[in-house]
Each structure stands twice: as structure tokens, then as C-alpha cells.
Amino acid sequence: MSEPGTRDLLAFALELADAADAVTVPAFYGGAEVRRKPDGSLVTEADEAAERELRALISRRFPEHAVLGEEAGLGGAPDAPARWILDPIDGTHSFVRGVPVWGTLIACERRGVVEVGVASSPALGARWWAGRGLGAYRSRALQGRAGARGGERIRVSTVDRIEETQVIYGSYRLVAGSWGGRALGLLGASWRQRGYGDCWGHLLVAEGSAELMLDPEISAWDIAALLPILEEAGGRLTDVDGRDDLGISHAISSNGLVHETALRLLRGEERPPLPAPGRAT
């Protein structure tokens, strides 16, 4: 069997997103059984059912591929030609509280590079996707199983000064306690700050609605799908030391133009600038 191209992998990832939506949407609107995992985080039957469905579809289409998922871990040969990385519901806590800010994240990594990424947020009526060399796209209305095939290309913003940035973050408690507390200085220097957590914050950066997203605690499945989307949109996602691999434990995403300044501020190598006049609240 010939090796699938990037377009083939992306087309299949979009099919997987359709299948995940079919599982997660009824559970979101109909209520889902919730339990607490050993680490204290929440999991629902919809998380597990969606991941089971995605694993089954991948096994049928690409039986030689490995799969890493948040709920069931790693399966497949260590020398597999490709690895799918799944987060069936990114934002489970929002999901169980009826907040529509959650999404299914699907990525395919090949030869150490995340080649395609899809983020489907059906409760927001939106989907984002990218393939290396193919650009990054968004659809604001998902209609039928064909889903988000005819989306618009997205690009990061052109803001290049911290004083003019809109900064997104997830948990204020985690952000305030991370990077030696220096994130608070960055927030204070920025134009506007909002707590839109989980994948949506990074995707707002990718589509140019914000310039920075601060994510103090992440795993590989939280960022794999986001890496190609952000980078194909012209942005960056790294840790505070500039690493952009799947082993990082926190993530800063940006439009690229303010990235190095943000990293220096978080490392304490630079003092926060004074906020620009007329700052938003």
C-alpha cells in the first residue's frame, strides 16, 4: 500500500471529526455521565465513546498506524509509520457544565512532525484544520457529515507590540502561579485580557482574534492538532524556552510577531512595558 499524502490524511481527519461530532453533540445537549479520574480531572462517557469510535475508524483505514489518546493511552507498534493523537473532548469541564467552549482534537504525526490537525467545536458551530503546506482554514457553520470542507483560510494578526495585544488564558489561578508570577506583568501590560480556555484560546490566536494564549498545563494531545493550525496560519506555539515539540508541559501560542518578547517577559529577562493609552477593560 502506498503511503498516504498530506491531503489524504487531512481528508480522513475531517471524516474522523464528523464521527466524533456525532457522538459528542447528543451527549452535550442530552447530559452525560460524569466521573472523576485518579488525577482529579473529569471524564464523561462521551469522552470514552468518542475515542473508541475514532480508534476503530483509524484501525480500519490505517491498521499499521499507532494511536495516542487521552483516555486510552498509546496503542500500536513503536515503529509505526504514523501516529494519530486524539483528545476526544478538550474542555471536559466546560462540556459537563453546558459551556460550549470545548472541542475534539485530531492530529496525525509522521516522521516526528505533526502533519495534519483538526479541531472541531460543534457546540460553537466551528471547525479549524490544517495540513503542512496546505494552509489553515476555519468553517463557522457545520452542516451535515460533509462538515467543514469549504472553509475560509485564516491568518494570525499583524499586531507587533505587547501593549496592543489581546491575551487569552485558561485558568487564572494556574496562570498567576506559573512562570514565577511573571505572567501577571505580561497581562497587565497588554491591551486586553480574557479567560477563554482550552483549545479555543489557541484557535483565536490562529484566526487573528487574539495575539497570545497562555496555557500553563498541557499534554501532547492538547497541542498536537493545534501546532499545524497555528503554524500554517503564520503563528507559533512553544514553551517558555522556545521548544515546539510534543514533550513540552506548557504552551504559549502567538501570532509570531510578539512571541520572543512574550518569552523574554515570562523568563524575567525584560520588564513589562507600560500599557498603551486607552487600554480596553
Side-chain angles (χ1 to χ4, degrees), residues 191-242:
W191 169 67
R192 194 167 184 262
Q193 318 79 33
R194 286 296 182 269
Y196 305 137
D198 303 308
C199 60
W200 195 37
H202 296 282
L203 295 164
L204 288 171
V205 173
E207 65 182 39
S209 297
E211 284 68 53
L212 280 166
M213 165 66 176
L214 306 179
D215 207 345
E217 290 185 1
I218 54 101
S219 298
W221 45 76
D222 295 314
I223 61 167
L226 303 175
L227 277 166
I229 295 173
L230 275 156
E231 292 176 2
E232 286 293 313
R236 293 180 64 188
L237 186 154
T238 75
D239 70 3
V240 75
D241 296 314

Side-chain angles (χ1 to χ4, degrees), residues 48-60:
E48 296 169 331
E51 186 167 321
R52 285 195 300 270
E53 176 67 11
L54 298 184
R55 284 175 178 269
L57 292 170
I58 293 167
S59 178
R60 286 199 290 271

Side-chain angles (χ1 to χ4, degrees), residues 178-189:
S178 299
W179 303 295
R182 290 182 288 271
L184 296 181
L186 191 160
L187 291 174

Side-chain angles (χ1 to χ4, degrees), residues 8-18 84 106-108 116-118 127:
D8 299 322
L9 292 174
L10 181 56
F12 180 58
L14 288 165
E15 292 177 17
L16 292 177
D18 292 339
W84 293 86
I106 300 164
C108 187
V116 303
V118 175
R127 184 178 293 177

Side-chain angles (χ1 to χ4, degrees), residues 108-155:
C108 187
E109 178 189 34
R110 190 157 54 175
R111 293 181 287 273
V113 175
V114 182
E115 198 164 333
V116 303
V118 175
S120 187
S121 295
L124 293 175
R127 184 178 293 177
W128 299 258
W129 66 96
R132 295 288 179 184
L134 303 178
Y137 297 84
R138 175 195 59 207
S139 172
R140 290 191 181 276
L142 306 181
Q143 298 177 349
R145 289 189 61 80
R149 304 304 188 269
E152 59 182 315
R153 191 155 187 174
I154 57 173
R155 293 287 301 176

Side-chain angles (χ1 to χ4, degrees), residues 18-38:
D18 292 339
D21 290 352
V23 174
T24 58
V25 171
F28 178 68
Y29 290 109
E33 179 184 344
V34 184
R35 69 178 189 277
R36 196 171 292 277
K37 293 193 282 191

